[in-house]
């Protein structure tokens, strides 16, 4: 199983709402990632988790709060977002960061977020 | 400052011919390079990778070439098929398995 699943597929929220994006993988990967992709732009890394601990935070605003409750799940909690946060949010997973080789990241289909 | 550049926004190729997608980078510390394909409304799908100590890697119709002195890599698809039409991203790996993506090239394969 090389699938990463993300829910919901689409999300529309107001600037005062609190919502969460969910990501799940069953490949036994111990590293998980959140990326943000704006229209006609490449994906940009937001967070990296390794063995359920936050490893990298790319200076992401605190209105985005990641959580890794176990090795298969990754959440992104959203609060007080701005319209410019509207984007495709991609989750990925890979072998743990100490493994050799390319440690290919496998991506989910993404959540299309619109902030009104 | 873009560390990974794909200077061709789009490429159009006839079915059966070769597609060549190019990528340039500036950071000598990148240790792996990966190519991903992306269809609309889907996440990127991994295609092929190459270590910075290699100059070629081949997988079926896909071959990636790395010229480290020129800081340039290319993806060759032979023969091209209409189903290959997608956006192709070059990505370079640095610390913590962080991937830095290029802007992408839209490939259109005409039948």
């Amino acid at each position: 199983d090389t699938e990463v699943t993300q829910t919901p597929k689409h999300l529309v929220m107001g600037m005062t709402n609190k919502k969460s994006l969910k990501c799940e993988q069953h490949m036994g990967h111990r590293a998980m990632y959140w990326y943000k992709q704006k229209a006609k732009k490449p994906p940009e890394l937001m967070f990296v988790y390794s063995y359920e601990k936050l490893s990298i935070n790319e200076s992401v605003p605190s209105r985005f709060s990641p959580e890794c409750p176990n090795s298969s799940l990754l959440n992104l909690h959203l609060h007080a977002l701005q319209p410019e946060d509207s984007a495709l949010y991609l989750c990925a997973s890979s072998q743990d960061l100490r493994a050799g080789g390319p440690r290919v990241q496998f991506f989910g289909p993404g959540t299309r977020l619109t902030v009104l | 400052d873009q560390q990974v550049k794909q200077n061709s926004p789009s490429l159009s190729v006839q079915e059966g011919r070769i597609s060549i997608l190019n990528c340039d980078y500036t950071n000598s510390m990148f240790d792996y390079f990966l190519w991903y394909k992306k269809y609309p409304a889907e996440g990127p799908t991994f295609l092929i990778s190459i270590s910075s100590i290699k100059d070629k890697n081949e997988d079926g119709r896909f071959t990636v070439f790395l010229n480290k002195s020129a800081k340039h890599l290319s993806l060759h698809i032979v023969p091209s098929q209409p189903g290959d039409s997608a956006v192709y991203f070059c990505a370079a790996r640095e610390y913590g398995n962080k991937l830095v993506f290029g802007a992408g090239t839209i490939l259109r394969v005409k039948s």
Side-chain angles (χ1 to χ4, degrees):
Chain A
D1 182 5
T2 58
E3 191 177 359
V4 177
T5 59
Q6 290 187 244
T7 55
K9 281 193 169 182
H10 301 276
L11 178 63
V12 179
M13 61 186 289
M15 289 190 284
T16 58
N17 291 157
K18 282 186 182 181
K19 296 286 185 184
S20 297
L21 310 184
K22 297 186 184 303
C23 173
E24 190 167 4
Q25 57 89 14
H26 294 287
M27 293 180 275
H29 289 164
R30 301 311 298 267
M32 297 187 77
Y33 312 76
W34 280 114
Y35 286 82
K36 174 181 177 178
Q37 185 177 20
K38 302 278 279 184
K40 300 192 190 306
K41 297 287 187 184
E44 292 183 347
L45 182 68
M46 300 174 72
F47 303 103
V48 180
Y49 271 82
S50 177
Y51 286 88
E52 296 96 71
K53 290 191 176 5
L54 185 62
S55 173
I56 295 177
N57 176 342
E58 289 286 296
S59 303
V60 179
S62 59
R63 56 186 185 268
F64 295 91
S65 176
E67 177 197 20
C68 190
N70 61 54
S71 60
S72 300
L73 292 174
L74 185 66
N75 299 321
L76 187 62
H77 303 298
L78 314 172
H79 174 53
L81 294 193
Q82 304 296 311
E84 58 264 29
D85 296 321
S86 298
L88 180 68
Y89 288 84
L90 292 162
C91 172
S93 71
S94 76
Q95 290 180 301
D96 75 74
L97 303 188
R98 294 167 293 184
R103 298 195 294 271
V104 172
Q105 293 180 32
F106 293 89
F107 284 82
T111 294
R112 175 73 59 188
L113 174 68
T114 304
V115 182
L116 300 176
Chain B
D1 179 30
Q2 279 186 286
Q3 297 188 77
V4 179
K5 294 182 184 177
Q6 293 177 256
N7 291 318
S8 298
S10 64
L11 174 68
S12 187
V13 170
Q14 199 66 34
E15 181 180 6
R17 306 296 291 267
I18 185 171
S19 295
I20 300 176
L21 299 111
N22 294 304
C23 179
D24 297 293
Y25 63 96
T26 57
N27 187 344
S28 304
M29 300 303 291
F30 291 139
D31 66 347
Y32 264 92
F33 301 90
L34 300 88
W35 284 93
Y36 284 84
K37 177 170 77 171
K38 188 177 186 302
Y39 294 117
E42 293 185 13
T45 301
F46 170 70
L47 283 174
I48 192 169
S49 66
I50 188 167
S51 164
S52 61
I53 62 172
K54 304 280 190 187
D55 56 18
K56 178 181 174 181
N57 188 24
E58 194 171 352
D59 184 1
R61 296 187 298 117
F62 301 94
T63 303
V64 57
F65 295 93
L66 175 62
N67 183 332
K68 202 170 178 181
S69 60
K71 294 192 174 70
H72 176 84
L73 62 154
S74 61
L75 175 67
H76 293 211
I77 306 173
V78 184
S80 301
Q81 299 172 353
D84 295 330
S85 298
V87 180
Y88 286 77
F89 288 101
C90 168
R93 191 180 82 177
E94 55 179 1
Y95 68 91
N97 213 37
K98 176 181 175 180
L99 288 181
V100 180
F101 284 84
T105 297
I106 300 170
L107 174 65
R108 296 188 187 90
V109 180
K110 298 176 289 187
S111 54

